[in-house]
Amino acid sequence: DGGITQSPKYLFRKEGQNVTLSCEQNLNHDAMYWYRQDPGQGLRLIYYSQIVNDFQKGDIAEGYSVSREKKESFPLTVTSAQKNPTAFYLCASSIGQALGDSPLHFGNGTRLTVT
Amino acid sequence: DAKTTQPNSMESNEEEPVHLPCNHSTISGTDYIHWYRQLPSQGPEYVIHGLTSNVNNRMASLAIAEDRKSSTLILHRATLRDAAVYYCILGVYNFNKFYFGSGTKLNVKP
């Protein structure tokens, strides 16, 4: 079955450490996204990528970094510069026609806790 | 930025229809209207999307106002499994960007 896999489901880190969240898709989608969700809130866009080797900052990119070396993979690194990293992180993909009519497909998220 | 406005919460009885409203007064002529729903600790699930005409699928119907400044997601017979947070978002033409608001938390009573 095609889909998006995020791992791990739960992640714990000490403050000051960088951590990388994995996102892999086998849907052959061009566009991939990272969102952050805080309790009781909607989703906020961190980074998105429309094609391999290209990505753009979303609304809350500070303290995060990404890479897109392969079509299937879009890892997110939460750096020590991110002031409030504890959150639920969601990866998504879409066909990427840039027409606004391609539905998003989401993974089941990674819950990151930093203490 | 394209934005949407939804009520924070709604309640419905099981097996009754539910109409979830969304306002998007700044929508442009090429923005698509999408609806997703999310269960606790899961990723959002696609429900339906449309541009101008009303749309139907196995999950729901989408009614779009003639001026496109508002839309309504219709669940024809709510079940307990439909209890979730429903997000109305806009798919912006020429950008692969989607803006999520806080959504509407739907509670379904047995």
Side-chain angles (χ1 to χ4, degrees), chain A residues 6-20:
Chain A
Q6 290 188 245
S7 61
K9 187 172 179 65
Y10 299 96
L11 193 53
F12 299 88
R13 281 293 183 271
K14 295 290 187 183
E15 193 173 326
Q17 293 179 334
N18 291 353
V19 59
T20 297

Side-chain angles (χ1 to χ4, degrees), chain B residues 28-95:
Chain B
S28 72
T30 51
D31 292 343
Y32 277 79
I33 302 157
H34 293 244
W35 283 82
Y36 293 78
R37 68 182 185 183
Q38 185 180 25
L39 295 171
S41 298
Q42 293 188 23
E45 173 190 30
Y46 167 78
V47 176
I48 200 166
H49 77 288
L51 183 63
T52 56
S53 304
N54 294 345
V55 184
N56 300 294
N57 66 20
R58 64 176 179 80
M59 292 179 70
S61 295
L62 174 60
I64 302 172
E66 195 169 333
D67 64 4
R68 297 200 343 114
K69 294 184 184 299
S70 66
S71 62
T72 302
L73 179 71
I74 303 166
L75 307 179
H76 295 286
R77 288 180 73 236
T79 70
L80 297 179
R81 288 175 294 180
D82 291 324
V85 177
Y86 286 78
Y87 294 100
C88 164
I89 69 170
L90 301 182
V92 180
Y93 181 80
N94 209 32
F95 291 92

Side-chain angles (χ1 to χ4, degrees), chain A residues 1-34:
Chain A
D1 285 339
I4 296 184
T5 301
Q6 290 188 245
S7 61
K9 187 172 179 65
Y10 299 96
L11 193 53
F12 299 88
R13 281 293 183 271
K14 295 290 187 183
E15 193 173 326
Q17 293 179 334
N18 291 353
V19 59
T20 297
L21 281 58
S22 170
C23 178
E24 303 280 332
Q25 55 102 356
N26 60 3
L27 298 166
N28 200 33
H29 285 172
D30 286 313
M32 297 187 74
Y33 312 77
W34 274 105

